[in-house]
Amino acid sequence: MLAAMTDRDGRLAIGELAARSGLAPSALRYYEEMGLIHSERTTGNQRRYPRTALRRVAFVRAAQVVGLSLEEARAALDRLPVDRAPGAAEWNAVARTWQRRIDARIGELERLRERLTGCIGCGCLSLRKCGLYNPGDVAGSQGPGARYLEGDPLPEA
Amino acid sequence: MLAAMTDRDGRLAIGELAARSGLAPSALRYYEEMGLIHSERTTGNQRRYPRTALRRVAFVRAAQVVGLSLEEARAALDRLPVDRAPGAAEWNAVARTWQRRIDARIGELERLRERLTGCIGCGCLSLRKCGLYNPGDVAGSQGPGARYLEGDPLPEA
DNA sequence: GCTTGACCTCAAGCCGACTTGAGATTGCAG
DNA sequence: CTGCAATCTCAAGTCGGCTTGAGGTCAAGC
């Protein structure tokens, strides 16, 4: 094996894309099923990914860090060119959306930390004094867990 | 109904606790099953929660915002007194752990935002230039999704 | 040409944090 | 005392993001 599983057109077999992206082949098949990446097939029905798939996968991972679901990542990807690097304008639109999410989440965390700091030493955890127990103020009161940056409509109130 | 479903000892029926905590009764039963809160039973087998349950539930919600799983929240709760407000020392230990997590996550997000800012206008998304595509640098490369603050061992490297 | 590892499809399983539904019981207001 | 909302238990379902397994095919190095 010379250039691993990369053919002369530079197209990647799934194992190669897996190795380069750090994802399992099963995950890549899943991403493809979700429409995040696309492949052509060999005569023998094996996937061959264009090199842009590498970029798209990286994009998806970054999106996940920002807190996007795969569905949201797909929506964002759909607005970027499939087979070439995005232009500045295209990229800016996406990047700005991400920045807003990041900023929002950072702000949320900072407020929580502040409340926490106020608590340290107060020995409180009494329902009336402690900001932590101020319901409706606790970010994400709509539902817990994985919804950190998911851009659920920030509570109007 | 005067004081809703709160009996004279101040103990709360599940519906009352649900209303006051903002959680569904099913969630509270689940929390109880997980050992996060505890109840006594009436002769008719209905749950009656001590008022401290309110505090414990609030604690759990806050923990979730910080990114803890219910299991981790339980571990933290187990180190706090079950039936009285925690003392300053007890609380400090927990709060400091949380703050570390929050700081770590904020740092992560800030680094991501910085990379993103560097990208805006560069129109890159080329694999070599763009920091976003620097694999192993993208926080959470170990696995995506809901693992934001989960305190998975931050990559040593 | 053969062997072996990479690949294929499809269905099912897993995790966390709950929700939903069925069917039975309880408990408070009138 | 009655009626009806609230509660009970237990099993199963949901969602996102994958992984695992079974059973079968493909392709490359010797």
Side-chain angles (χ1 to χ4, degrees):
Chain A
M1 52 178 77
L2 289 171
M5 281 301 162
T6 308
D7 63 19
R8 53 235 83 77
D9 304 335
R11 300 187 312 163
L12 308 169
I14 196 168
E16 182 67 4
L17 182 55
R20 297 212 185 190
S21 67
L23 292 181
S26 59
L28 295 174
R29 289 191 196 99
Y30 180 71
Y31 281 12
E32 185 172 345
E33 196 181 344
M34 297 291 100
L36 292 161
I37 52 179
H38 309 280
S39 68
E40 294 167 351
R41 298 299 181 111
T42 64
T43 53
N45 198 37
Q46 297 198 356
R47 290 171 179 85
R48 286 300 178 268
Y49 292 101
R51 304 197 64 79
T52 55
L54 211 37
R55 181 156 52 206
R56 294 175 74 91
V57 169
F59 182 97
V60 171
R61 302 303 278 183
Q64 286 185 307
V65 172
V66 180
L68 296 176
S69 65
L70 290 187
E71 178 52 34
E72 291 173 301
R74 198 189 51 70
L77 267 178
D78 283 352
R79 297 167 52 214
L80 293 179
V82 178
D83 49 3
R84 56 178 180 84
E90 295 160 329
W91 176 238
N92 281 0
V94 173
R96 264 198 278 275
T97 302
W98 285 17
Q99 284 191 319
R100 259 185 274 117
R101 281 165 179 276
I102 293 173
D103 288 343
R105 178 58 183 161
I106 287 178
E108 230 172 68
L109 286 173
E110 275 170 352
R111 284 193 302 279
L112 178 62
R113 188 181 51 176
E114 227 168 276
R115 287 201 298 272
L116 216 42
T117 306
C119 276
I120 288 187
C122 86
C124 60
L125 283 195
S126 89
L127 286 170
R128 44 195 67 161
K129 276 178 59 184
C130 184
L132 259 188
Y133 290 159
N134 196 333
D137 190 19
V138 171
S141 59
Q142 300 304 308
R147 60 196 350 277
Y148 298 117
L149 277 168
E150 286 175 14
D152 33 277
L154 291 179
E156 308 274 344
Chain B
M1 53 177 78
L2 289 170
M5 282 301 163
T6 309
D7 64 18
R8 54 233 82 77
D9 305 337
R11 299 187 314 164
L12 308 169
I14 196 168
E16 182 66 4
L17 182 55
R20 296 212 185 188
S21 66
L23 291 180
S26 60
L28 295 173
R29 289 192 196 98
Y30 180 71
Y31 280 13
E32 186 172 345
E33 197 182 344
M34 296 292 100
L36 293 161
I37 52 179
H38 309 280
S39 67
E40 293 166 350
R41 298 299 181 111
T42 64
T43 53
N45 198 37
Q46 297 197 356
R47 289 169 179 85
R48 285 301 177 270
Y49 292 101
R51 304 197 64 79
T52 55
L54 211 37
R55 181 155 52 206
R56 293 175 73 92
V57 169
F59 182 98
V60 171
R61 300 304 275 185
Q64 286 184 307
V65 172
V66 180
L68 296 175
S69 65
L70 289 187
E71 178 52 33
E72 290 173 300
R74 199 188 52 71
L77 267 179
D78 283 352
R79 298 168 51 214
L80 293 179
V82 178
D83 48 5
R84 57 177 179 82
E90 296 161 328
W91 175 237
N92 280 359
V94 173
R96 264 198 279 275
T97 302
W98 286 14
Q99 285 190 319
R100 258 183 277 120
R101 282 165 179 275
I102 292 172
D103 288 343
R105 178 57 183 163
I106 287 178
E108 228 173 69
L109 287 174
E110 276 170 350
R111 284 193 303 280
L112 179 61
R113 188 181 50 175
E114 226 169 277
R115 286 201 298 272
L116 216 43
T117 305
C119 276
I120 288 188
C122 87
C124 59
L125 284 195
S126 90
L127 285 169
R128 44 195 66 161
K129 278 178 59 188
C130 184
L132 259 188
Y133 290 158
N134 195 335
D137 189 19
V138 172
S141 59
Q142 301 303 308
R147 59 194 353 273
Y148 298 117
L149 278 168
E150 284 174 16
D152 32 277
L154 291 178
E156 307 275 345

